[in-house]
Amino acid sequence: MMSGGVGKYTHIDNQKVSGSVPSVPDPGHVTVQFTDSNLQTFPPSESQGKISGGTRPPRDADDTFSKPVSGSEESQQGGWFRTFTVAAYKPYFDVDTIDVLERIKYSLFPFRGTFTEKTVNNPDLYGPFWICTTLIFVAASIGTFVTYIAHKLQKKEWNYDINLVTWSAGVFYGYVLLVPLVLYVILKYFSAPSGLVQLFCLYGYSLFVFIPALCLSVIPLEIFRWVIAGVAGFMSATFVALNLRAHIMSAGERWFFIVAGIFLLQLALSVVLKLYLFTVTV
């Protein structure tokens, strides 16, 4: 019974399997075709991705933020509008400490007359701005300290003069801005034009010698203060005159009067500084 039953069920199962799985005819030779691929080319071409070349970084990592977008406000600015942008003055502040110190050293040796040649390709405004700003604070602090000591020695009441800061700022900033601008117009009139930024740079560095001169004015000797102011003025005037002489000589026979005027104007500045900054009144 059991063996017959097993055979019966086996016969039934074989029928079900043979009925549910039909026979598959032989397909013969099958050809599989693949489309062309560029996987064997590495790195891919620039048109297939952002990376081109073995070591080049992605485009959005090196020039996305450095180049103005087409149609942007920065790319459309030009002419006089560019004068009021920070980017227009950025090249004139592209100096480091070594450059500034070297130019200060040239200003302290006025008889060389090579400052203009050294800075003709890269005049800066950072040095003149730093020198003028330092002069303002040195003049205010030294002047205040000297007058304070003088009042205390004579046992008199002392009051701080805030006008010393504003007066110093007006003198130094005004001189460095107006004198080069006027000289620029004069030189252009006599067909010997010079760069305006170059003149700003020259006159700015010419004032550095007044920083140590103001510090030495602490010594309470009037004759010594006159000597210090005179030496500083002579060095500053010589520095400007000699550096502009070779260029102004192309203006013709009037070059001597222009150089003499530059020299005397710089001496006049030292006299003004002596009367208002190097002099202590109680």
Side-chain angles (χ1 to χ4, degrees):
M1 291 292 295
M2 292 298 293
S3 61
V6 172
K8 181 178 178 180
Y9 287 117
T10 302
H11 178 70
I12 295 173
D13 291 340
N14 291 336
Q15 287 180 350
K16 290 181 178 180
V17 170
S18 61
S20 60
V21 181
S23 60
V24 179
D26 185 11
H29 181 70
V30 178
T31 302
V32 179
Q33 295 181 352
F34 296 93
T35 58
D36 294 337
S37 176
N38 289 327
L39 295 178
Q40 72 276 12
T41 304
F42 185 84
S45 61
E46 189 172 358
S47 61
Q48 296 173 351
K50 291 184 177 181
I51 301 178
S52 61
T55 59
R56 182 179 177 181
R59 180 181 180 275
D60 56 356
D62 62 350
D63 61 356
T64 301
F65 297 100
S66 60
K67 295 181 179 180
V69 181
S70 178
S72 64
E73 183 179 357
E74 182 179 356
S75 63
Q76 293 178 355
Q77 288 179 346
W80 285 101
F81 292 100
R82 178 175 171 79
T83 307
F84 302 98
T85 61
V86 177
Y89 302 95
K90 184 178 179 181
Y92 304 121
F93 291 85
D94 188 17
V95 289
D96 54 19
T97 305
I98 298 178
D99 296 329
V100 175
L101 291 178
E102 184 178 1
R103 296 177 181 189
I104 290 175
K105 182 181 68 175
Y106 280 111
S107 69
L108 295 177
F109 296 93
F111 295 100
R112 293 180 178 179
T114 57
F115 181 85
T116 304
E117 298 177 1
K118 299 292 184 180
T119 60
V120 64
N121 295 324
N122 186 27
D124 72 284
L125 297 178
Y126 174 79
F129 175 78
W130 176 82
I131 291 172
C132 290
T133 305
T134 304
L135 271 171
I136 294 169
F137 286 99
V138 169
S141 59
I142 294 297
T144 301
F145 175 75
V146 171
T147 54
Y148 173 79
I149 295 299
H151 280 76
K152 289 300 181 181
L153 290 176
Q154 297 186 13
K155 297 181 180 181
K156 294 184 178 181
E157 185 180 359
W158 174 80
N159 295 318
Y160 176 71
D161 187 10
I162 190 62
N163 294 325
L164 189 61
V165 177
T166 56
W167 187 90
S168 300
V171 169
F172 293 118
Y173 283 146
Y175 187 85
V176 172
L177 289 175
L178 295 179
V179 174
L181 185 60
V182 173
L183 182 60
Y184 172 79
V185 175
I186 294 174
L187 293 179
K188 197 168 185 179
Y189 175 78
F190 287 104
S191 300
S194 179
L196 182 59
V197 178
Q198 181 69 32
L199 294 176
F200 285 144
C201 180
L202 178 64
Y203 271 88
Y205 281 98
S206 71
L207 298 182
F208 177 81
V209 70
F210 290 105
I211 295 179
L214 284 170
C215 295
L216 291 175
S217 66
V218 176
I219 300 175
L221 293 175
E222 189 65 17
I223 185 64
F224 179 78
R225 290 170 179 168
W226 272 108
V227 172
I228 291 298
V231 171
F234 178 79
M235 292 178 61
S236 179
T238 303
F239 172 74
V240 176
L242 290 183
N243 278 280
L244 290 176
R245 182 185 61 177
H247 178 77
I248 297 177
M249 288 178 66
S250 61
E253 298 179 354
R254 298 182 180 89
W255 72 269
F256 178 79
F257 299 100
I258 300 176
V259 174
I262 293 172
F263 184 86
L264 294 176
L265 184 62
Q266 203 79 357
L267 283 180
L269 174 66
S270 65
V271 174
V272 172
L273 295 180
K274 168 61 185 71
L275 295 177
Y276 288 93
L277 297 179
F278 291 81
T279 301
V280 178
T281 56
V282 180

